[in-house]
Amino acid sequence: MKTLLKIGIYLVLTAGGWYAASAQSASTRKPNIIFILADDLGYGDLGCYGQKVIQTPNLDRMAREGMRFTQHYAGSTVCAPSRSALMTGQHTGHTRIRGNERFPLLPEDKTVAEHLKEAGYTTALIGKWGLGEEGSVGVPRRQGFDYFYGYLNQTHAHNHFTDFLWRNEEKVRLANEVVYLETGGAKGIGSAATKRVEWTQDLFTKEALQFLDRAKQAPFFLYLSYVSPHANNEHRLASQHGIEVPDNSPYTNRDYPEVEKAFAASVTRLDNHVGQVLAKLRELKLDDNTLVIFTSDNGPHAEGGNDPTYFNSSGGLRGIKRDLYEGGIRVPMIARWPGKVKAGSISSHASAFWDFLPTACNLAGVQSSIQTDGISYLPTLLGKGNQKQHPYLYWEFHEQGRKQAVRQGNYKLVYLLKDNQIELYDLSRDPAEQHNITAQNPEVVSRLKSLMEQARVPSAEFPFAQ
């Protein structure tokens, strides 16, 4: 006797309208995917990565219940190109947006959200976007997301107490009162709150929990993009506050500088947000069918008066945000999927943001229709099959006189174009990149320099004179 599997089709009401959702049995439905992104969180800012002072109990628990990656890399050392690499599966030698400029993704830039939408997923972005301004072809709902709530512009996102956010293509007014910059490159965009009522990071978590309630009947992809612990460094009023949080608890009475209290509070509050998301999954009984990934868009910052050395935010690695040394691009990544990802596991697999698109496609059972630089790390997550390795990893940076870096195996080459300076490091012996070994390894330098030249295609928006 044959068993007939019934699949019900429901119309689900969201703030952006109705969408069709299919209720499938737990044994047949595709896994849900939640990708949680921090902003400017360093490799050493979490307890499970060696942090001794800042409290991150939920993320530490997530690491105990899942897999912690020790050699995972952001797409870039600043936010917009890093996020472009994440969405397109292409490193900064190929992806559309290679620097912190206001260029949008174009229709031909097929994102991970578009791939998953084609595979039957409900898709949502909550938080910071930074890859397309109002009215452009790069806005989230023209890049594969069914629902969007948050900031379009990354400079606007620096104010955590802004006076408005976007819900899809509509402005949602908040109770905060702000003043905007009247001069400079961030004129009319950069701002500071004169009356703080609603913290946007809390609003993002609230929206995320509501989305999970709405989307629980069908496979979903949630890209939850927080702005913590980024500073508001745009406006003099905000710069007095350093990192913007409602208050400095639980560090109010600690003997730290006020800016560092706020930074620590921002990280701990971020940890609490992640804990709420994980608790909601347990409440909805979605735990066993949901892969949750947590990471950061680049290394720690020295903005808003923050001192990244105060809490050892780089975790002993050299450099911070805007560096192509390890501290600027190596980031924490934790993956949790009960029953699928081995609890308490640690992976040294060298992976990067551009690997997420093929990994998500692999999970969803759909072939990518575009050429990417990524390699699925699903075999590593599941501990099954042959994990392919990257022939090399590549980054370029379009500020501070331009920089490039390439890693092949344990060797990493850093090229500072402004000074025509080449540095070579053996990360297996020198992860802190303290010993430049170019003189002893001319053949390695020549090979990696050649890779560096081959790794990029010209970009009219981001020219890169060799």
Side-chain angles (χ1 to χ4, degrees), residues 38 40-52 56 60 68-74 229 263 294-301 308 311-321 325-334 346-349 431:
D40 293 0
L41 182 81
Y43 187 80
D45 280 328
L46 304 180
C48 52
Y49 281 86
Q51 177 56 231
K52 303 299 183 185
T56 56
D60 297 346
R68 182 169 62 87
F69 283 69
T70 61
Q71 298 192 70
H72 185 70
Y73 290 94
F263 178 84
F294 174 88
T295 187
S296 175
D297 67 344
N298 49 246
H301 66 77
F311 295 115
N312 191 26
S313 289
S314 295
L317 302 175
R318 179 181 179 181
I320 58 172
K321 179 180 180 180
Y325 299 116
E326 294 291 283
I329 53 177
R330 191 186 293 200
V331 289
M333 187 174 90
I334 305 168
I346 299 173
S347 173
S348 60
H349 171 61

Side-chain angles (χ1 to χ4, degrees), residues 246-402:
D247 60 62
N248 291 339
S249 61
Y251 307 99
T252 306
N253 297 322
R254 299 288 182 91
D255 186 22
Y256 308 152
E258 288 301 309
V259 170
E260 309 310 337
K261 289 181 185 179
F263 178 84
S266 181
V267 174
T268 296
R269 285 172 178 270
L270 172 65
D271 176 83
N272 180 262
H273 293 313
V274 174
Q276 291 182 57
V277 172
L278 297 179
K280 174 59 76 169
L281 291 177
R282 290 190 289 271
E283 174 193 324
L284 297 176
K285 303 188 186 316
L286 297 174
D287 234 13
D288 293 345
N289 200 44
T290 305
L291 170 65
V292 182
I293 294 175
F294 174 88
T295 187
S296 175
D297 67 344
N298 49 246
H301 66 77
E303 299 166 357
N306 181 56
D307 177 4
T309 68
Y310 193 86
F311 295 115
N312 191 26
S313 289
S314 295
L317 302 175
R318 179 181 179 181
I320 58 172
K321 179 180 180 180
R322 292 187 174 82
D323 290 321
L324 290 183
Y325 299 116
E326 294 291 283
I329 53 177
R330 191 186 293 200
V331 289
M333 187 174 90
I334 305 168
R336 178 185 182 273
W337 188 2
K340 300 292 193 300
V341 174
K342 184 179 178 181
S345 54
I346 299 173
S347 173
S348 60
H349 171 61
S351 56
F353 268 28
W354 47 93
D355 294 329
F356 176 63
L357 187 150
T359 303
C361 287
N362 203 175
L363 277 165
V366 62
Q367 292 290 325
S368 173
S369 59
I370 60 172
Q371 183 174 354
T372 74
D373 299 305
I375 295 174
S376 171
Y377 45 72
L378 188 59
T380 292
L381 291 177
L382 301 182
K384 298 178 181 178
N386 178 38
Q387 176 61 66
K388 295 181 179 179
Q389 305 296 318
H390 282 281
Y392 64 88
L393 298 169
Y394 172 81
W395 301 265
E396 62 184 49
F397 181 53
H398 290 260
E399 299 175 27
Q400 300 179 342
R402 296 189 175 91

Side-chain angles (χ1 to χ4, degrees), residues 115-132:
H115 283 87
L116 292 176
K117 190 173 172 65
E118 290 177 359
Y121 279 66
T122 297
T123 58
L125 162 62
I126 296 171
K128 175 178 170 180
W129 178 232
L131 303 178

Side-chain angles (χ1 to χ4, degrees), residues 147-303:
Y147 179 71
F148 166 61
Y149 177 81
Y151 300 97
L152 287 175
N153 179 277
Q154 61 188 24
T155 302
H156 175 215
H158 295 174
N159 184 354
H160 297 208
F161 292 91
T162 184
D163 58 339
F164 77 93
L165 291 171
W166 292 95
R167 177 172 281 117
N168 298 326
E169 290 76 47
E170 300 295 327
K171 283 186 177 180
V172 178
R173 293 292 173 182
L174 304 182
N176 304 313
E177 296 178 5
V178 308
V179 290
Y180 283 89
L181 286 170
E182 298 179 355
T183 60
K187 178 182 177 181
I189 304 172
S191 64
T194 55
K195 180 181 179 182
R196 297 177 169 194
V197 180
E198 297 177 281
W199 193 45
T200 54
Q201 313 309 294
D202 286 337
L203 299 179
F204 295 156
T205 302
K206 180 180 178 181
E207 286 280 334
L209 301 183
Q210 292 174 348
F211 170 78
L212 294 178
D213 278 324
R214 295 195 303 263
K216 60 187 176 184
Q217 298 293 346
F220 59 79
F221 167 49
L222 170 60
Y223 174 28
L224 182 51
S225 178
Y226 289 105
V227 191
S228 299
H230 198 294
N232 187 351
N233 57 335
E234 303 295 340
H235 198 287
R236 62 177 181 80
L237 293 179
S239 65
Q240 296 172 4
H241 303 302
I243 317 301
E244 294 188 320
V245 287
D247 60 62
N248 291 339
S249 61
Y251 307 99
T252 306
N253 297 322
R254 299 288 182 91
D255 186 22
Y256 308 152
E258 288 301 309
V259 170
E260 309 310 337
K261 289 181 185 179
F263 178 84
S266 181
V267 174
T268 296
R269 285 172 178 270
L270 172 65
D271 176 83
N272 180 262
H273 293 313
V274 174
Q276 291 182 57
V277 172
L278 297 179
K280 174 59 76 169
L281 291 177
R282 290 190 289 271
E283 174 193 324
L284 297 176
K285 303 188 186 316
L286 297 174
D287 234 13
D288 293 345
N289 200 44
T290 305
L291 170 65
V292 182
I293 294 175
F294 174 88
T295 187
S296 175
D297 67 344
N298 49 246
H301 66 77
E303 299 166 357

